[in-house]
Amino acid sequence: MTEATRRLQLRLLETLPEIAERVIQGYQDHTDTPPPEAAGDKEFSARQSAGKAALSHLDALIKLLRWAEAGVSAELDAAPGDGGQPGDAAETDRLNRLLREARAALGRIEAVR
């Protein structure tokens, strides 16, 4: 894995769980709010499109989060004993924490889907 890819995966693991939570909350707020009674076809269509866009956004976040999780997990699996990264216990602990948070976020997302 290149260093640029590693940095990207770490950045995604650090940021995507919170972003995914906000997308889920926004979608729930959207679906919990009833449409106006006087909404016509145009408003209904716009509302449905907004919901679909939120779900598409969430789907993309899930794919990115899984990709990042798989890459960092593979890095940790390869590290012990072969001279690979991460090189110190603090970095290993940080990566394990990020993986736990990412996996927990994916679990919450799957529960909502």
Side-chain angles (χ1 to χ4, degrees):
M1 163 182 346
T2 68
E3 184 58 30
T5 300
R6 181 180 189 273
R7 282 193 313 269
L8 176 59
Q9 288 176 323
L10 290 173
R11 177 90 169 122
L12 292 173
L13 284 178
E14 291 170 347
T15 59
L16 287 186
E18 183 180 331
I19 293 168
E21 294 290 339
R22 289 194 315 254
V23 170
I24 290 169
Q25 186 59 55
Y27 181 73
Q28 287 178 330
D29 292 346
H30 175 76
T31 58
D32 289 346
T33 305
E37 287 186 31
D41 291 342
K42 196 173 191 179
E43 291 85 4
F44 178 81
S45 180
R47 184 173 171 80
Q48 292 300 100
S49 292
K52 287 178 185 178
L55 292 177
S56 293
H57 186 189
L58 184 59
D59 187 53
L61 292 173
I62 290 167
K63 289 175 183 173
L64 285 170
L65 193 53
R66 284 187 177 144
W67 173 75
E69 186 269 338
V72 172
S73 184
E75 176 185 343
L76 281 174
D77 289 346
D82 71 357
Q85 292 184 6
D88 63 43
E91 178 68 357
T92 299
D93 289 345
R94 182 176 88 90
L95 294 177
N96 280 319
R97 178 186 53 79
L98 289 173
L99 286 172
R100 281 192 308 274
E101 291 171 3
R103 290 172 179 153
L106 285 168
R108 288 188 299 273
I109 292 167
E110 291 301 323
V112 172
R113 290 173 98 193

